[in-house]
Structures are given as structure tokens and as C-alpha cells.
Amino acid sequence: RGLPVLSRDGDRKLGVVTSLTVDASSGVVSHLRFRAGRLRGETVLAWEAVRSLGPGAVRVGPVTAPDVVPPGHDLLGRRVLTEAGVEHGAVLDVAFDPRSGRVLALFTTRGELSAGRMMGLGDHALVVRAG
């Protein structure tokens, strides 16, 4: 969150990252979401449009809206529950491969979780396999 989103050549600031959409069942970041300003709507890009990601900015290719825009459930801060409904804290951070978007690990208030444990992400919580 908060990284500037730049055009592919870096000459234009398009906005600021608001969140990443994660497909919990496949374990990948599917979309990047950003805003150009407070009063502007959120722009959603498929992860494939991300050309580079670094500590200072995200560079994106052509800014075209995806055919299907998934719900934007932000993973950060999301409550974590096991499939049996047992509380496992909240998501503090996520490690992912910047090229592929594959989620590598989840860091929660109760420790690290393997990304392979993710089952689903919704309005209420991130559901993970008990383990």
C-alpha cells in the first residue's frame, strides 16, 4: 500500500497503490488496485500489467480495465480463521514473488502461515486450513 504507480517508462505518476487482490484458492495476486486521488475512483489492473515492482514504485504497462473485476477484499488487516472457525489472529503482511504474484507466506498476529494453507478470502475473514 502507498507505493506510487508509474507508467511503464516512469514519466507519469498514475496514482498510489491501495491494495492487491489475492485469489486465495490459487495463492496468487490477481489484481493491483490504485487511486489517482481521493475523489477519483479506484483503478483495477490485472497483475499481468505490472512491469516491475520495487521498494520505491510500481511500473505498469497499458492501463486497461480487466474484463472481469473480482471483489476487492484487502488481505492486510483481515481476520484469519481456520476452516473449523478457530481464530488465528489477523494478517499483518504478505510475502509474494513480484514477478509471478505467487503468495509465499502470510505474517499474522499469531505468527507465520504457509500460503498453501489459504482456502478462501471474503468480507468476513481469510479462511485457512488447520495445521
Side-chain angles (χ1 to χ4, degrees):
R1 286 188 201 158
L3 281 178
V5 177
L6 307 175
S7 60
R8 182 180 197 161
D9 53 14
D11 68 343
R12 277 185 318 147
K13 181 176 177 183
L14 304 174
V16 175
V17 174
T18 54
S19 67
L20 300 175
T21 300
V22 173
D23 177 6
S25 61
S26 66
V28 298
V29 177
S30 62
H31 294 79
L32 170 80
R33 296 171 180 269
F34 67 93
R35 275 189 198 278
R38 277 193 219 172
L39 301 177
R40 300 219 175 150
E42 192 171 63
T43 299
V44 179
L45 292 178
W47 186 254
E48 292 77 30
V50 174
R51 298 296 173 239
S52 67
L53 174 70
V58 177
R59 291 181 195 257
V60 297
V63 179
T64 56
D67 294 335
V68 177
V69 177
H73 302 298
D74 195 356
L75 197 53
L76 297 180
R78 184 71 53 199
R79 180 180 185 191
V80 180
L81 297 174
T82 67
E83 60 201 325
V86 176
E87 183 84 30
H88 198 318
V91 178
L92 296 173
D93 204 357
V94 179
F96 64 93
D97 181 319
R99 289 195 178 164
S100 68
R102 173 129 335 259
V103 176
L104 304 172
L106 302 164
F107 303 97
T108 76
T109 53
R110 294 205 180 158
E112 184 176 339
L113 292 176
S114 162
R117 290 180 57 187
M118 289 190 300
M119 294 178 67
L121 176 63
D123 289 333
H124 182 65
L126 169 67
V127 178
V128 298
R129 286 177 189 80

